[in-house]
Amino acid sequence: MVIVLTSLASLKADDRPVTFAQLPMAAQTFINANYPDDKVSFATVDDDVFRPDYHVALAGGVMIQFNHDGSLEKIETRSGNIPDGIIPVQIVEAVKGYYPDAKILEYEVGRRSYEVKLSNRIELKFNTRFNVIEIDN
């Protein structure tokens, strides 16, 4: 039992700081294209050997999570100013249709779904065809 617990503890993924240049190229391109005037406050990578995740905080208050190849996993903002083109237009239009006064504060890409958290505290989950499949409040 002690050996198993020790082995599991050694596999624990710890975050370590990285520079902008150490991010995957896709992540660098994403940040440069969508936030050209914002600076990276800090960036970290978890030490998962197989599929490390990267976390980036921008000076403007945006938090972005990328997977091991630099693909977007999640983006969060307090202001609701996520640039056009990041969130699929079908999701943006659905949110405007259901909740015209709400802003999208979080967008998360899953394997078989997308999730958004809105300024009115509603959470919407969409399938890959952009149909709402779950609403949480």
Side-chain angles (χ1 to χ4, degrees):
M1 183 70 161
V2 171
I3 293 172
V4 171
L5 290 175
T6 305
S7 297
L8 288 174
S10 68
L11 292 175
K12 180 184 169 289
D14 291 324
D15 289 347
R16 63 181 169 80
V18 294
T19 65
F20 180 78
Q22 292 172 310
L23 295 173
M25 188 54 67
Q28 292 179 40
T29 301
F30 178 92
I31 293 167
N32 286 333
N34 293 292
Y35 295 96
D37 299 325
D38 212 342
K39 298 209 183 295
V40 173
S41 291
F42 68 88
T44 62
V45 61
D46 64 39
D47 283 333
D48 184 333
V49 176
F50 301 109
R51 295 191 175 265
D53 286 332
Y54 295 85
H55 301 266
V56 178
L58 301 179
V62 175
M63 298 289 294
I64 309 169
Q65 183 176 334
F66 300 99
N67 68 18
H68 66 282
D69 66 1
S71 302
L72 178 68
E73 285 187 344
K74 185 177 184 178
I75 186 166
E76 299 176 51
T77 176
R78 291 187 180 140
S79 66
N81 292 328
I82 297 174
D84 293 341
I86 293 177
I87 302 171
V89 68
Q90 300 93 324
I91 293 175
V92 173
E93 292 301 319
V95 169
K96 285 182 186 175
Y98 294 125
Y99 307 101
D101 296 328
K103 292 182 179 184
I104 298 174
L105 301 179
E106 262 183 53
Y107 169 64
E108 186 169 355
V109 179
R111 284 189 175 175
R112 296 189 179 132
S113 64
Y114 306 92
E115 290 186 42
V116 292
K117 292 183 183 177
L118 308 179
S119 56
N120 62 2
R121 299 183 183 218
I122 300 286
E123 296 179 24
L124 301 173
K125 188 173 190 175
F126 295 82
N127 64 15
T128 55
R129 294 184 180 169
F130 305 109
N131 297 312
V132 176
I133 57 173
E134 190 175 312
I135 300 173
D136 276 338
N137 54 3

